[in-house]
Amino acid sequence: MLIYWLGLFMFMFGAVSFVVNRKHLLMMLLSLEFIVVVLYLNLFFYLSLMAYEYFFSMVFLTMTVCEGALGLSILILMVRVHGNDYITSFSFLW
């Protein structure tokens, strides 16, 4: 039962970190990756507790890697075009 509270606490910590660091794209991506790792950890504990197969966890990891690669490519494109990773420098987002 303690591991569920720890997972919930870590998820909430990642969500708060995502909201607080909304100016830098790199910090937002790191917060999102932390949330995804916590979700994977919770999924793994749940599947091991219920004695299910781990196939869905491999699909989840595949989607996580794709999401991380897409985020890093957007970060690289943003740094090449604008010279920094500040979200507030985009005029079309506001």
Side-chain angles (χ1 to χ4, degrees):
M1 192 65 166
L2 181 64
I3 196 72
Y4 293 121
W5 286 107
L6 182 65
L8 181 66
F9 176 72
M10 289 171 61
F11 178 80
M12 294 305 288
F13 182 72
V16 167
S17 173
F18 179 75
V19 171
V20 168
N21 295 320
R22 67 177 193 265
K23 291 185 180 182
H24 293 281
L25 182 65
L26 182 61
M27 293 304 293
M28 289 173 65
L29 288 174
L30 284 173
S31 299
L32 280 176
E33 289 298 321
F34 180 73
I35 289 171
V36 166
V37 167
V38 168
L39 286 176
Y40 176 72
L41 184 67
N42 288 335
L43 178 71
F44 186 77
F45 282 138
Y46 177 74
L47 291 176
S48 66
L49 182 67
M50 298 296 170
Y52 288 140
E53 295 285 332
Y54 295 116
F55 178 74
F56 183 71
S57 63
M58 296 306 291
V59 172
F60 185 77
L61 278 179
T62 304
M63 294 300 143
T64 301
V65 168
C66 293
E67 177 258 336
L70 182 65
L72 285 177
S73 65
I74 290 172
L75 175 71
I76 289 171
L77 179 69
M78 187 174 165
V79 168
R80 284 185 180 175
V81 170
H82 295 284
N84 57 18
D85 67 333
Y86 293 116
I87 296 293
T88 56
S89 67
F90 283 137
S91 62
F92 61 85
L93 285 178
W94 303 108

